[in-house]
Amino acid sequence: MKKLEHIGIAVRNLEESEALFTRLLGIAPYKRETVESEGVITSFFELNGVKFELLAATSEESPIAKFLEKKGEGLHHLAFDVDGIEQRMSTLKEVGFDLIHTQPKDGADNKRIAFLHPKSTGGVLTELCEDKGLAHEE
Ligand code: ZN
């Protein structure tokens, strides 16, 4: 893992939570992005190189809606920046981690992403993300 890239936080109401985190962090969100395939709308803050990704559900079927129902608002995942996401996924699998995704998928913020199952990561849902710009450079 190269570094902690962002911290994902599940929220019920994106406007209210943007206002709350603006007060808390002392900075405004710099973008919103919807990821239709995941049923989420995201809002990003960046504090000294670490991003905060607020995640709100866009439908009842969204994994975020299910998370909120089970656990309520709060910490959802930690995301680590990696190079060569496929290779990293297979290496982690070899050493015993359970992958939720067998192939990287498109995430917010121009990334390819994959999640590790929290049952294998001490209860912390863990995301691998790789910048698409880097992935497609030769
Ligand atoms: Zn994320």
Side-chain angles (χ1 to χ4, degrees), residues 11 17 25 27 45 78 94 109 119 126:
V11 306
S17 295
L25 302 173
I27 49 173
F45 293 76
L78 298 181
E94 273 167 30
D109 207 26
K119 276 182 190 153
T126 300

Side-chain angles (χ1 to χ4, degrees), residues 112-127:
R112 294 196 306 147
I113 65 168
F115 281 93
L116 304 180
H117 200 288
K119 276 182 190 153
S120 70
T121 52
V124 181
L125 180 61
T126 300
E127 175 185 344

Side-chain angles (χ1 to χ4, degrees), residues 6 53 77 79 115 127:
H6 65 266
E53 178 188 38
H77 64 271
F115 281 93
E127 175 185 344

Side-chain angles (χ1 to χ4, degrees), residues 4-138:
L4 181 64
E5 213 279 337
H6 65 266
I7 296 168
I9 298 166
V11 306
R12 289 188 197 283
N13 181 306
L14 199 61
E15 284 78 21
E16 285 175 14
S17 295
E18 281 177 337
L20 186 152
F21 280 90
T22 296
R23 286 199 304 279
L24 176 67
L25 302 173
I27 49 173
Y30 66 91
K31 73 166 170 181
R32 274 192 186 184
E33 188 177 341
T34 301
V35 184
E36 290 296 349
S37 60
E38 288 295 287
V40 299
I41 179 164
T42 62
S43 180
F44 283 91
F45 293 76
E46 182 165 357
L47 187 67
N48 204 16
V50 176
K51 294 173 191 164
F52 294 78
E53 178 188 38
L54 305 185
L55 302 143
T58 57
S59 79
E60 299 282 300
E61 305 309 309
S62 164
I64 296 300
K66 287 173 185 147
F67 179 91
L68 289 166
E69 201 174 295
K70 255 198 258 177
K71 300 198 170 167
E73 290 187 303
L75 183 61
H76 182 260
H77 64 271
L78 298 181
F80 294 93
D81 198 10
V82 300
D83 283 337
I85 190 166
E86 285 93 349
Q87 182 59 48
R88 180 65 53 180
M89 287 166 73
S90 59
T91 306
L92 289 167
K93 195 173 176 185
E94 273 167 30
V95 297
F97 292 100
D98 290 338
L99 296 162
I100 293 176
H101 303 115
T102 53
Q103 292 291 325
K105 50 201 290 186
D106 287 339
D109 207 26
N110 195 38
K111 308 269 192 220
R112 294 196 306 147
I113 65 168
F115 281 93
L116 304 180
H117 200 288
K119 276 182 190 153
S120 70
T121 52
V124 181
L125 180 61
T126 300
E127 175 185 344
L128 308 178
C129 60
E130 179 174 41
D131 203 85
K132 277 190 201 168
L134 290 175
H136 292 161
E137 264 171 36
E138 285 300 306

